[in-house]
Amino acid sequence: MDRSERLGAIVDVATDALMWIDAHIADLESSDLDEERKAEFLERWRKRRQEILEIGARSYHARKG
């Protein structure tokens, strides 16, 4: 597997992770957890989502670059 293929695989995994996290966030938003706990979990998942976006973007640009 060459560098471009590895970077493409990272982008694919990041995309799958984002779809899973988005679904998880939607489930949390409609859950009946107490508001404080819900806010804590949502903040954590949104932070993780942003980290994955940044990794995916760096890998995508490195692949194109």
Side-chain angles (χ1 to χ4, degrees):
M1 180 182 282
D2 68 11
R3 181 176 187 270
S4 180
E5 290 172 325
R6 286 192 306 272
L7 292 172
I10 291 169
V11 171
D12 290 344
V13 169
T15 301
D16 289 346
L18 289 172
M19 289 189 300
W20 186 88
I21 288 172
D22 286 345
H24 195 63
I25 288 172
D27 288 345
L28 276 170
E29 288 174 334
S30 64
S31 74
D32 60 352
L33 286 174
D34 66 84
E35 291 303 314
E36 183 178 327
R37 190 169 169 142
K38 185 187 299 189
E40 177 185 322
F41 285 132
L42 286 171
E43 179 182 345
R44 192 177 315 160
W45 281 112
R46 287 179 177 138
K47 180 180 177 187
R48 180 71 59 213
R49 185 183 193 288
Q50 184 60 38
E51 291 169 350
I52 291 170
L53 276 173
E54 291 169 7
I55 290 167
R58 283 193 308 266
S59 297
Y60 176 81
H61 291 297
R63 184 176 182 207
K64 296 294 180 186

Coordinates of all heavy atoms in Angstrom, one line a residue:
M1 N 0.9 -1.2 0.0 CA 0.0 0.0 0.0 C 0.9 1.2 0.0 O 1.7 1.4 0.9 CB -0.9 0.0 1.2 CG -1.8 1.1 1.3 SD -2.9 1.2 2.8 CE -4.1 0.0 2.4
D2 N 0.7 2.1 -1.0 CA 1.6 3.3 -1.0 C 1.0 4.4 -0.2 O -0.1 4.3 0.4 CB 1.8 3.7 -2.5 CG 0.5 4.3 -3.2 OD1 -0.5 4.5 -2.5 OD2 0.5 4.5 -4.4
R3 N 1.7 5.5 -0.1 CA 1.3 6.6 0.7 C -0.1 7.1 0.4 O -0.9 7.4 1.3 CB 2.3 7.7 0.6 CG 2.1 8.9 1.5 CD 3.2 10.0 1.4 NE 3.1 11.0 2.3 CZ 2.4 12.2 2.0 NH1 1.8 12.4 0.8 NH2 2.3 13.1 2.9
S4 N -0.4 7.3 -0.9 CA -1.7 7.8 -1.3 C -2.8 6.9 -0.8 O -3.9 7.3 -0.4 CB -1.7 8.0 -2.8 OG -3.0 8.5 -3.2
E5 N -2.6 5.6 -1.0 CA -3.6 4.6 -0.6 C -3.8 4.7 1.0 O -5.0 4.6 1.4 CB -3.2 3.2 -1.0 CG -3.3 3.0 -2.5 CD -2.7 1.7 -2.9 OE1 -1.7 1.2 -2.3 OE2 -3.3 1.1 -3.9
R6 N -2.7 4.8 1.7 CA -2.8 4.9 3.2 C -3.6 6.1 3.6 O -4.5 6.1 4.4 CB -1.5 4.9 3.8 CG -0.8 3.5 3.8 CD 0.4 3.5 4.7 NE 1.4 4.5 4.4 CZ 2.4 4.4 3.6 NH1 2.5 3.3 2.9 NH2 3.2 5.4 3.4
L7 N -3.3 7.3 2.9 CA -4.0 8.5 3.3 C -5.5 8.4 2.9 O -6.4 8.9 3.6 CB -3.3 9.7 2.6 CG -2.0 10.0 3.1 CD1 -1.3 11.1 2.2 CD2 -2.0 10.5 4.5
G8 N -5.8 7.7 1.7 CA -7.1 7.5 1.3 C -7.9 6.7 2.4 O -9.1 6.9 2.6
A9 N -7.2 5.7 2.9 CA -7.8 4.8 3.9 C -8.1 5.6 5.2 O -9.2 5.4 5.8 CB -6.9 3.6 4.3
I10 N -7.3 6.5 5.6 CA -7.5 7.4 6.7 C -8.7 8.2 6.5 O -9.6 8.4 7.4 CB -6.3 8.3 7.0 CG1 -5.1 7.4 7.5 CG2 -6.6 9.3 8.0 CD1 -3.8 8.1 7.6
V11 N -8.9 8.8 5.3 CA -10.0 9.6 5.0 C -11.3 8.8 5.0 O -12.3 9.2 5.6 CB -9.9 10.3 3.6 CG1 -11.1 11.0 3.2 CG2 -8.7 11.3 3.6
D12 N -11.2 7.6 4.5 CA -12.4 6.7 4.6 C -12.8 6.4 6.0 O -14.0 6.4 6.3 CB -12.1 5.4 3.8 CG -12.0 5.6 2.3 OD1 -12.5 6.6 1.8 OD2 -11.5 4.7 1.7
V13 N -11.9 6.1 6.8 CA -12.1 5.7 8.2 C -12.7 7.0 9.0 O -13.7 6.9 9.7 CB -10.9 5.2 9.0 CG1 -11.1 5.1 10.5 CG2 -10.5 3.8 8.4
A14 N -12.1 8.1 8.7 CA -12.6 9.4 9.3 C -14.0 9.6 8.9 O -14.9 10.0 9.7 CB -11.7 10.5 8.9
T15 N -14.4 9.4 7.6 CA -15.7 9.6 7.1 C -16.7 8.7 7.9 O -17.8 9.1 8.3 CB -15.8 9.4 5.6 OG1 -14.9 10.3 5.0 CG2 -17.2 9.6 5.1
D16 N -16.3 7.4 8.0 CA -17.2 6.5 8.7 C -17.4 6.9 10.2 O -18.5 6.8 10.7 CB -16.6 5.1 8.6 CG -16.7 4.4 7.3 OD1 -17.4 5.0 6.4 OD2 -16.0 3.4 7.0
A17 N -16.3 7.3 10.8 CA -16.4 7.7 12.2 C -17.3 8.9 12.4 O -18.0 9.0 13.3 CB -14.9 8.0 12.7
L18 N -17.2 9.9 11.4 CA -18.0 11.1 11.5 C -19.5 10.7 11.4 O -20.3 11.3 12.1 CB -17.6 12.1 10.4 CG -16.3 12.8 10.7 CD1 -16.0 13.6 9.4 CD2 -16.4 13.7 11.9
M19 N -19.8 9.8 10.5 CA -21.2 9.4 10.3 C -21.7 8.7 11.6 O -22.8 9.0 12.1 CB -21.4 8.4 9.2 CG -21.2 9.1 7.8 SD -21.7 8.2 6.4 CE -20.5 6.8 6.5
W20 N -20.9 7.9 12.3 CA -21.3 7.2 13.5 C -21.4 8.3 14.6 O -22.4 8.2 15.4 CB -20.2 6.2 13.9 CG -20.6 5.4 15.1 CD1 -21.3 4.3 15.1 CD2 -20.3 5.7 16.5 NE1 -21.5 3.8 16.4 CE2 -20.9 4.7 17.2 CE3 -19.6 6.8 17.1 CZ2 -20.8 4.7 18.6 CZ3 -19.6 6.8 18.5 CH2 -20.2 5.7 19.2
I21 N -20.5 9.2 14.7 CA -20.6 10.2 15.8 C -21.8 11.1 15.5 O -22.5 11.5 16.5 CB -19.3 11.1 15.8 CG1 -18.2 10.2 16.4 CG2 -19.5 12.3 16.6 CD1 -16.8 10.9 16.3
D22 N -22.1 11.5 14.3 CA -23.3 12.3 14.0 C -24.6 11.6 14.5 O -25.5 12.2 15.1 CB -23.4 12.7 12.5 CG -22.3 13.7 12.1 OD1 -21.8 14.4 13.0 OD2 -22.1 13.9 10.9
A23 N -24.6 10.3 14.2 CA -25.8 9.5 14.6 C -25.9 9.5 16.2 O -27.0 9.6 16.8 CB -25.8 8.1 14.1
H24 N -24.7 9.3 16.8 CA -24.7 9.2 18.3 C -25.1 10.6 18.9 O -25.8 10.6 19.8 CB -23.2 8.9 18.7 CG -23.1 8.4 20.1 ND1 -23.8 7.3 20.6 CD2 -22.5 8.9 21.1 CE1 -23.5 7.1 21.9 NE2 -22.7 8.1 22.2
I25 N -24.6 11.7 18.3 CA -25.0 13.0 18.8 C -26.5 13.2 18.6 O -27.2 13.7 19.6 CB -24.2 14.1 18.0 CG1 -22.7 14.1 18.5 CG2 -24.8 15.5 18.2 CD1 -21.8 15.0 17.7
A26 N -27.1 12.8 17.5 CA -28.5 13.0 17.3 C -29.3 12.1 18.4 O -30.3 12.6 18.9 CB -28.9 12.5 15.9
D27 N -28.8 10.9 18.7 CA -29.5 10.1 19.7 C -29.4 10.8 21.1 O -30.3 10.8 21.8 CB -28.8 8.7 19.8 CG -29.2 7.8 18.6 OD1 -30.1 8.2 17.8 OD2 -28.5 6.8 18.4
L28 N -28.2 11.3 21.4 CA -28.0 12.0 22.7 C -28.9 13.2 22.8 O -29.5 13.5 23.8 CB -26.6 12.5 22.8 CG -25.6 11.4 23.4 CD1 -24.2 11.9 23.3 CD2 -26.0 11.1 24.8
E29 N -29.0 14.0 21.7 CA -29.8 15.2 21.7 C -31.3 14.9 22.0 O -32.0 15.7 22.6 CB -29.7 16.0 20.4 CG -28.4 16.6 20.2 CD -28.1 17.3 18.9 OE1 -28.8 16.9 17.9 OE2 -27.3 18.2 18.8
S30 N -31.8 13.8 21.6 CA -33.2 13.4 21.8 C -33.4 12.5 23.0 O -34.5 12.0 23.3 CB -33.8 12.8 20.5 OG -33.1 11.5 20.3
S31 N -32.3 12.2 23.7 CA -32.4 11.3 24.9 C -33.0 12.0 26.1 O -33.2 13.2 26.1 CB -31.0 10.8 25.3 OG -30.3 11.8 25.9
D32 N -33.4 11.2 27.1 CA -34.0 11.7 28.3 C -33.0 11.9 29.4 O -33.4 11.9 30.6 CB -35.2 10.9 28.7 CG -34.8 9.5 28.9 OD1 -33.7 9.1 28.7 OD2 -35.7 8.7 29.4
L33 N -31.7 11.9 29.1 CA -30.7 12.1 30.1 C -30.9 13.5 30.8 O -31.4 14.4 30.1 CB -29.3 12.1 29.5 CG -28.7 10.8 29.1 CD1 -27.3 11.0 28.4 CD2 -28.5 9.9 30.3
D34 N -30.4 13.7 32.0 CA -30.5 15.0 32.6 C -29.7 16.0 31.8 O -28.7 15.6 31.2 CB -30.1 15.0 34.1 CG -28.7 14.6 34.3 OD1 -27.9 15.6 34.2 OD2 -28.4 13.4 34.5
E35 N -30.1 17.2 31.8 CA -29.4 18.2 30.9 C -28.0 18.4 31.1 O -27.2 18.5 30.2 CB -30.2 19.5 31.0 CG -31.6 19.5 30.5 CD -31.6 19.1 29.0 OE1 -30.8 19.6 28.2 OE2 -32.5 18.2 28.7
E36 N -27.5 18.3 32.4 CA -26.1 18.5 32.7 C -25.3 17.4 32.1 O -24.2 17.6 31.4 CB -25.9 18.6 34.2 CG -24.4 18.8 34.6 CD -24.3 19.0 36.1 OE1 -25.2 19.5 36.8 OE2 -23.2 18.5 36.6
R37 N -25.7 16.2 32.3 CA -25.0 15.0 31.8 C -25.1 15.0 30.3 O -24.1 14.7 29.6 CB -25.6 13.7 32.4 CG -24.8 12.5 32.1 CD -25.3 11.3 32.9 NE -24.7 10.2 32.3 CZ -24.3 9.2 33.1 NH1 -24.5 9.2 34.4 NH2 -23.7 8.1 32.5
K38 N -26.2 15.3 29.7 CA -26.3 15.3 28.2 C -25.4 16.4 27.6 O -24.7 16.1 26.7 CB -27.8 15.7 27.8 CG -28.0 15.7 26.3 CD -29.4 16.2 25.9 CE -30.5 15.5 26.5 NZ -31.8 15.9 26.0
A39 N -25.3 17.5 28.3 CA -24.4 18.6 27.8 C -22.9 18.1 27.8 O -22.1 18.4 26.9 CB -24.6 19.9 28.6
E40 N -22.6 17.4 28.9 CA -21.2 16.9 29.0 C -20.9 15.9 27.9 O -19.8 16.0 27.3 CB -21.1 16.2 30.4 CG -19.8 15.5 30.7 CD -19.8 14.8 32.0 OE1 -20.4 15.2 33.0 OE2 -19.1 13.7 32.0
F41 N -21.8 15.0 27.7 CA -21.6 14.0 26.6 C -21.5 14.6 25.2 O -20.7 14.3 24.4 CB -22.6 12.9 26.6 CG -22.5 11.9 27.7 CD1 -23.6 11.5 28.5 CD2 -21.3 11.3 28.0 CE1 -23.4 10.6 29.5 CE2 -21.1 10.4 29.0 CZ -22.2 10.0 29.8
L42 N -22.4 15.6 25.0 CA -22.5 16.2 23.7 C -21.2 17.0 23.5 O -20.6 17.0 22.4 CB -23.7 17.1 23.6 CG -25.0 16.4 23.4 CD1 -26.2 17.4 23.5 CD2 -25.1 15.7 22.0
E43 N -20.7 17.7 24.5 CA -19.4 18.4 24.3 C -18.3 17.5 24.0 O -17.5 17.8 23.1 CB -19.1 19.2 25.6 CG -17.8 20.0 25.6 CD -17.5 20.6 26.9 OE1 -18.4 20.8 27.8 OE2 -16.4 21.0 27.1
R44 N -18.2 16.4 24.7 CA -17.2 15.4 24.4 C -17.2 14.9 23.0 O -16.2 14.8 22.3 CB -17.3 14.3 25.4 CG -16.1 13.4 25.4 CD -16.2 12.3 26.5 NE -16.7 12.8 27.8 CZ -17.2 12.0 28.7 NH1 -17.3 10.7 28.5 NH2 -17.6 12.5 29.8
W45 N -18.4 14.5 22.5 CA -18.5 14.0 21.2 C -18.3 15.0 20.1 O -17.7 14.7 19.1 CB -19.9 13.3 21.0 CG -19.9 11.9 21.6 CD1 -20.7 11.5 22.7 CD2 -19.2 10.8 21.2 NE1 -20.4 10.2 23.0 CE2 -19.5 9.7 22.1 CE3 -18.3 10.6 20.2 CZ2 -18.9 8.5 22.0 CZ3 -17.7 9.3 20.1 CH2 -18.0 8.3 21.0
R46 N -18.7 16.2 20.4 CA -18.5 17.3 19.4 C -17.0 17.6 19.3 O -16.5 17.9 18.2 CB -19.3 18.5 19.7 CG -20.8 18.3 19.4 CD -21.6 19.5 19.8 NE -23.0 19.3 19.4 CZ -24.0 19.6 20.2 NH1 -23.9 20.2 21.3 NH2 -25.3 19.3 19.8
K47 N -16.3 17.6 20.4 CA -14.9 17.8 20.4 C -14.2 16.6 19.6 O -13.3 16.9 18.8 CB -14.3 17.8 21.8 CG -12.8 18.0 21.9 CD -12.3 18.1 23.3 CE -10.8 18.2 23.4 NZ -10.3 18.1 24.7
R48 N -14.6 15.4 19.8 CA -14.0 14.3 19.1 C -14.3 14.4 17.6 O -13.4 14.1 16.8 CB -14.6 13.0 19.7 CG -14.1 11.7 19.0 CD -12.7 11.4 19.4 NE -12.5 11.3 20.8 CZ -11.5 11.6 21.5 NH1 -10.4 12.1 20.9 NH2 -11.4 11.4 22.8
R49 N -15.5 14.9 17.3 CA -15.9 15.0 15.9 C -14.9 16.1 15.2 O -14.5 15.9 14.1 CB -17.3 15.5 15.8 CG -17.8 15.6 14.4 CD -19.3 16.1 14.4 NE -19.9 16.0 13.1 CZ -19.5 16.7 12.0 NH1 -18.6 17.6 12.1 NH2 -20.1 16.5 10.9
Q50 N -14.7 17.2 15.9 CA -13.8 18.2 15.4 C -12.4 17.7 15.2 O -11.7 17.9 14.2 CB -13.8 19.4 16.3 CG -13.0 20.6 15.7 CD -13.5 21.1 14.4 OE1 -14.7 21.1 14.2 NE2 -12.6 21.4 13.5
E51 N -11.9 16.9 16.1 CA -10.5 16.3 16.0 C -10.5 15.4 14.8 O -9.5 15.4 14.0 CB -10.2 15.5 17.3 CG -10.0 16.3 18.5 CD -9.9 15.5 19.8 OE1 -10.2 14.3 19.7 OE2 -9.6 16.1 20.8
I52 N -11.5 14.6 14.5 CA -11.5 13.7 13.4 C -11.6 14.5 12.1 O -10.9 14.1 11.1 CB -12.7 12.7 13.5 CG1 -12.4 11.7 14.7 CG2 -12.9 11.9 12.2 CD1 -13.5 10.8 15.0
L53 N -12.4 15.6 12.1 CA -12.4 16.4 10.9 C -11.0 17.0 10.6 O -10.7 17.0 9.4 CB -13.4 17.6 11.1 CG -14.9 17.3 10.9 CD1 -15.7 18.5 11.3 CD2 -15.1 17.0 9.4
E54 N -10.3 17.4 11.6 CA -9.0 17.9 11.3 C -8.0 16.9 10.8 O -7.2 17.2 9.9 CB -8.5 18.6 12.6 CG -9.2 19.8 13.0 CD -8.9 20.3 14.4 OE1 -8.0 19.8 15.1 OE2 -9.6 21.3 14.8
I55 N -8.1 15.7 11.4 CA -7.2 14.6 10.9 C -7.6 14.3 9.4 O -6.7 14.1 8.6 CB -7.4 13.3 11.8 CG1 -6.8 13.6 13.2 CG2 -6.7 12.1 11.1 CD1 -7.1 12.6 14.2
G56 N -8.9 14.1 9.2 CA -9.3 13.8 7.8 C -8.9 14.9 6.8 O -8.4 14.6 5.7
A57 N -9.0 16.2 7.2 CA -8.6 17.3 6.3 C -7.1 17.3 6.0 O -6.7 17.4 4.9 CB -9.1 18.6 6.9
R58 N -6.3 17.0 7.1 CA -4.9 17.0 6.9 C -4.5 15.8 5.9 O -3.7 16.0 5.0 CB -4.2 16.9 8.2 CG -4.1 18.1 9.0 CD -3.1 18.0 10.1 NE -3.3 16.9 11.0 CZ -4.0 16.9 12.1 NH1 -4.6 18.0 12.5 NH2 -4.1 15.8 12.9
S59 N -5.1 14.7 6.1 CA -4.8 13.5 5.3 C -5.3 13.8 3.9 O -4.6 13.4 2.9 CB -5.5 12.3 5.9 OG -5.0 12.0 7.1
Y60 N -6.5 14.4 3.7 CA -7.0 14.6 2.4 C -6.0 15.6 1.6 O -5.7 15.3 0.5 CB -8.4 15.2 2.5 CG -8.9 15.6 1.1 CD1 -9.5 14.7 0.3 CD2 -8.9 17.0 0.7 CE1 -10.0 15.0 -0.9 CE2 -9.4 17.3 -0.5 CZ -10.0 16.4 -1.4 OH -10.5 16.7 -2.6
H61 N -5.6 16.7 2.3 CA -4.8 17.6 1.6 C -3.4 17.1 1.4 O -2.7 17.4 0.4 CB -4.7 18.9 2.5 CG -6.0 19.7 2.4 ND1 -6.5 20.2 1.3 CD2 -6.8 20.0 3.4 CE1 -7.7 20.8 1.6 NE2 -7.9 20.7 2.9
A62 N -2.9 16.2 2.3 CA -1.6 15.5 2.1 C -1.7 14.6 0.8 O -0.7 14.5 0.0 CB -1.2 14.8 3.3
R63 N -2.8 14.0 0.7 CA -3.0 13.1 -0.5 C -3.1 13.8 -1.8 O -2.5 13.4 -2.8 CB -4.3 12.3 -0.3 CG -4.6 11.3 -1.3 CD -5.8 10.5 -0.9 NE -6.0 9.5 -1.9 CZ -7.2 9.0 -2.2 NH1 -8.3 9.4 -1.6 NH2 -7.4 8.0 -3.1
K64 N -3.7 15.0 -1.8 CA -3.9 15.8 -3.0 C -2.6 16.6 -3.3 O -2.4 17.0 -4.4 CB -5.1 16.8 -2.8 CG -6.4 16.1 -2.7 CD -6.7 15.4 -4.0 CE -8.0 14.7 -3.9 NZ -8.3 13.8 -5.0
G65 N -1.9 16.9 -2.2 CA -0.8 17.8 -2.2 C 0.4 17.6 -2.9 O 1.1 18.4 -3.4

